[in-house]
């Protein structure tokens, strides 16, 4: 195989893998782990189903790769502890919900009852979110505070998935955001 052929094949492999991840993310976000078939994912990606095994091993490993590829919580940890509530409430309430922003929430909700997917969700949550969040918070009961704040954040995110404007007028959303800021700040405080 010539270097050009090898490079083309490698680029195609990368593109195929990315297409499979994208298709799987969309399907898991719409249907959850148990309702999705590998054939559906492969068909949407425009490839033969055997390539799922080649690139990921199987459905469980593909799901883990999707969860690992979801946007991380890095923005949450930017800034000071003292303005956490205000920063996060603005992110949750004011920022537009763009394509894919809340897919991870849909995936977790729709896949949480799966015997196979649930342990993956818990493991990824601890590794990629709760562990780093508790470390960033530090101090007494950091894990408890991280879990409490995350529960509030997930709830608001779910509400945004259901109704982007939270069913509130613009003035009500401002009051909601301010109250949410206080609740979130209280959740992460050591008091």
């Amino acid at each position: 195989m010539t270097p050009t052929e090898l490079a083309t094949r490698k680029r195609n492999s990368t593109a195929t893998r990315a297409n499979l991840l994208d298709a799987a993310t969309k399907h898991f976000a719409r249907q959850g782990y148990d309702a999705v078939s590998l054939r559906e994912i492969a068909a949407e990606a425009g490839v033969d189903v055997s390539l799922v095994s080649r690139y990921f091993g199987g459905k469980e490993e593909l799901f883990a790769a999707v969860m690992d590829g979801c946007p991380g919580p890095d923005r949450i940890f930017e800034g000071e502890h003292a303005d956490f509530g205000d920063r996060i409430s603005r992110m949750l309430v004011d920022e537009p919900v763009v394509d894919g922003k809340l897919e991870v929430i849909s995936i977790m909700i729709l896949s949480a009852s799966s015997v196979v997917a649930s342990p993956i969700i818990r493991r990824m949550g601890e590794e990629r979110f709760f562990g780093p969040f508790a470390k960033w918070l530090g101090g007494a009961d950091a894990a408890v505070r991280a879990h409490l704040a995350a529960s509030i954040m997930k709830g608001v995110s779910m509400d945004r998935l259901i109704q982007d404007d939270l069913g509130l007028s613009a003035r009500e959303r401002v009051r909601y955001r301010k109250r949410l800021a206080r609740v979130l700040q209280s959740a992460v405080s050591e008091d």
Side-chain angles (χ1 to χ4, degrees):
M1 185 174 291
T2 69
T4 303
E5 291 170 329
L6 185 59
T8 301
R9 185 172 185 180
K10 189 172 194 171
R11 274 194 305 263
N12 290 342
S13 297
T14 302
T16 298
R17 189 176 197 288
N19 289 341
L20 282 167
L21 279 171
D22 184 55
T25 301
K26 289 175 183 169
H27 277 277
F28 290 137
R30 283 191 306 251
Q31 299 170 274
Y33 181 86
D34 289 337
V36 173
S37 76
L38 291 180
R39 290 194 186 286
E40 290 173 299
I41 292 169
E44 184 162 322
V47 299
D48 187 86
V49 71
S50 66
L51 290 178
V52 175
S53 296
R54 178 177 176 186
Y55 291 108
F56 300 98
K59 185 175 172 181
E60 185 174 346
E61 294 84 3
L62 176 58
F63 184 79
V66 165
M67 291 299 297
D68 193 45
C70 288
D74 297 341
R75 284 188 59 204
I76 292 171
F77 311 135
E78 295 172 358
E80 301 298 320
H81 293 179
D83 69 349
F84 176 84
D86 187 58
R87 281 185 302 105
I88 302 307
S89 67
R90 288 179 188 282
M91 281 174 46
L92 292 169
V93 177
D94 295 340
E95 288 186 9
V97 178
V98 294
D99 289 340
K101 183 177 179 182
L102 297 177
E103 277 180 332
V104 68
I105 298 292
S106 292
I107 292 169
M108 289 188 305
I109 292 167
L110 293 172
S111 303
S113 63
S114 170
V115 178
V116 175
S118 183
I120 296 168
I121 294 168
R122 283 193 306 272
R123 180 175 48 82
M124 293 290 188
E126 186 55 42
E127 290 173 6
R128 296 191 65 220
F129 187 81
F130 294 114
F133 193 6
K135 183 177 179 181
W136 181 78
L137 287 173
D141 287 327
V144 171
R145 292 182 288 129
H147 277 268
L148 178 58
S151 294
I152 296 164
M153 293 159 55
K154 285 186 278 189
V156 174
S157 297
M158 284 178 23
D159 284 348
R160 287 288 305 271
L161 279 171
I162 294 166
Q163 194 166 3
D164 188 35
D165 67 0
L166 300 165
L168 301 170
S169 70
R171 286 182 58 181
E172 289 171 325
R173 281 194 309 278
V174 170
R175 291 196 308 273
Y176 176 93
R177 185 190 48 74
K178 288 178 181 179
R179 285 179 178 267
L180 176 62
R182 290 191 300 268
V183 169
L184 284 168
Q185 195 62 47
S186 175
V188 298
S189 295
E190 286 189 74
D191 305 329

